[in-house]
Amino acid sequence: MPFIISENIADEDFESLFAIQYKAFSNQPALKACYPGGHDEPAHSANVARFIKVLGWKDSNVAAAKVVDEETGEICAFATMRVYDENPFPGAKDSEIHLPQVDAGIRRAVEWTFNTKNNRRRGFEALQLPGPYCLLQVLGTDPARQRQGAATLLVEWAVRISDEKGARTVVEASRDAEKYGLYAKQGFRTVDTHLYVDEERFPGFDGMHVVTMVRGAVENSAAGNVALRFLG
Ligand SMILES: CC(C)(COP(=O)(O)OP(=O)(O)OC[C@H]1O[C@@H](n2cnc3c(N)ncnc32)[C@H](O)[C@@H]1OP(=O)(O)O)[C@@H](O)C(=O)NCCC(=O)NCCS
């Protein structure tokens, strides 16, 4: 298991990065629906392009790392992180995400899932924690290479960058990642859990389960009590 971590991501890596993301999050129907056709042609190129856009690859405040098998050169896992000088949540505009590529039968439910994230963001606003912030995103390991320490390397990378910047690290983790202790082992604590499903409006639709976790100075700040309110 000779893994190395690298921030050197080339354009030709995006095929592998998309494949990892698609396979790793295949149990999240709302995410999967955003990439209809997955890896199959003719949808593949459009999906990779969409994925690069979601990553915000050209944005100056996006950092990224991949975990590579040193022997084979294969990319096994990756993550991105948005770096903010100040808490990005207060005053941020509500999102109005439109996903024309999603199948018409579930499009409204999927859009609702992403746009309802506004409610989540308000939880962060209430935390009133001053910046800087590092927001860890799209962390995933190829299912064939899970349980070999790849994600742990990525969380260590995120923590190192955050510490260098004196920043808090925030992640909207999957329930699995929380259950595995991936973040808690490196000092993150849960401030909120949210299930993005509206059973009444969209019966049978399984949205996204997200656990918001923060690392750094929550318990010692005046906002610590507010953070705890969101635990319930
Ligand atoms: C969650 C995920 C990223 C973990 O990746 P990974 O590379 O397998 O993680 P690691 O090998 O570094 O394991 C980290 C810890 O989780 C535990 N773990 C990982 N998978 C596990 C499983 N299926 N069951 C129980 N524990 C598990 C490991 O034992 C390890 O614990 P340890 O530090 O005590 O040894 C991976 O399962 C994944 O990509 N899942 C789908 C997408 C997702 O949920 N991403 C997280 C978004 S925040």
Side-chain angles (χ1 to χ4, degrees):
M1 194 274 300
F3 281 149
I4 50 169
I5 188 156
S6 166
E7 291 184 5
N8 188 12
I9 294 176
D11 285 350
E12 54 269 25
D13 289 341
F14 281 103
E15 294 281 329
S16 309
L17 302 184
F18 173 65
I20 292 171
Q21 157 101 0
Y22 191 77
K23 283 189 272 180
F25 287 96
S26 61
N27 65 348
Q28 295 271 10
L31 278 182
K32 208 173 165 194
C34 295
Y35 302 106
H39 306 288
D40 301 339
E41 293 301 341
H44 179 74
S45 313
N47 281 340
V48 172
R50 210 167 268 141
F51 172 66
I52 291 171
K53 200 169 160 203
V54 168
L55 289 185
W57 192 243
K58 303 286 180 201
D59 297 358
S60 57
N61 67 336
V62 173
K66 61 183 178 182
V67 176
V68 178
D69 183 320
E70 203 174 10
E71 277 168 8
T72 63
E74 173 202 6
I75 303 175
C76 302
F78 84 104
T80 65
M81 193 157 70
R82 279 189 189 267
V83 179
Y84 297 97
D85 291 337
E86 292 297 330
N87 183 339
F89 299 99
K93 282 198 293 199
D94 283 358
S95 61
E96 280 184 51
I97 295 174
H98 300 287
L99 300 163
Q101 76 271 22
V102 174
D103 182 90
I106 56 167
R107 188 180 306 143
R108 280 192 54 244
V110 174
E111 289 176 344
W112 179 88
T113 299
F114 286 104
N115 289 322
T116 311
K117 280 194 156 202
N118 297 324
N119 297 341
R120 260 296 314 108
R121 204 198 65 227
R122 288 189 186 105
F124 270 116
E125 288 183 36
L127 286 174
Q128 292 290 321
L129 297 170
Y133 265 73
C134 289
L135 185 58
L136 187 55
Q137 293 174 317
V138 297
L139 186 148
T141 302
D142 183 337
R145 301 304 301 263
Q146 289 179 1
R147 303 204 75 169
Q148 297 172 22
T152 299
L153 287 178
L154 289 166
V155 180
E156 284 169 1
W157 163 80
V159 164
R160 182 169 42 79
I161 293 187
S162 303
D163 284 351
E164 281 168 11
K165 296 182 181 301
R168 291 188 178 81
T169 330
V170 178
V171 63
E172 291 198 309
S174 63
R175 286 190 303 183
D176 284 348
E178 189 201 30
K179 190 177 75 188
Y180 303 158
L182 177 64
Y183 297 104
K185 282 170 199 157
Q186 298 199 47
F188 288 75
R189 56 197 294 251
T190 300
V191 292
D192 183 39
T193 58
H194 203 91
L195 170 58
Y196 294 103
V197 182
D198 187 335
E199 293 281 2
E200 272 180 32
R201 268 202 262 184
F202 308 111
F205 177 73
D206 189 9
M208 286 201 300
H209 303 258
V210 171
V211 183
T212 304
M213 303 185 81
V214 179
R215 177 185 176 275
V218 175
E219 41 281 286
N220 296 329
S221 76
N225 292 336
V226 183
L228 287 170
R229 275 215 327 260
F230 288 94
L231 280 167

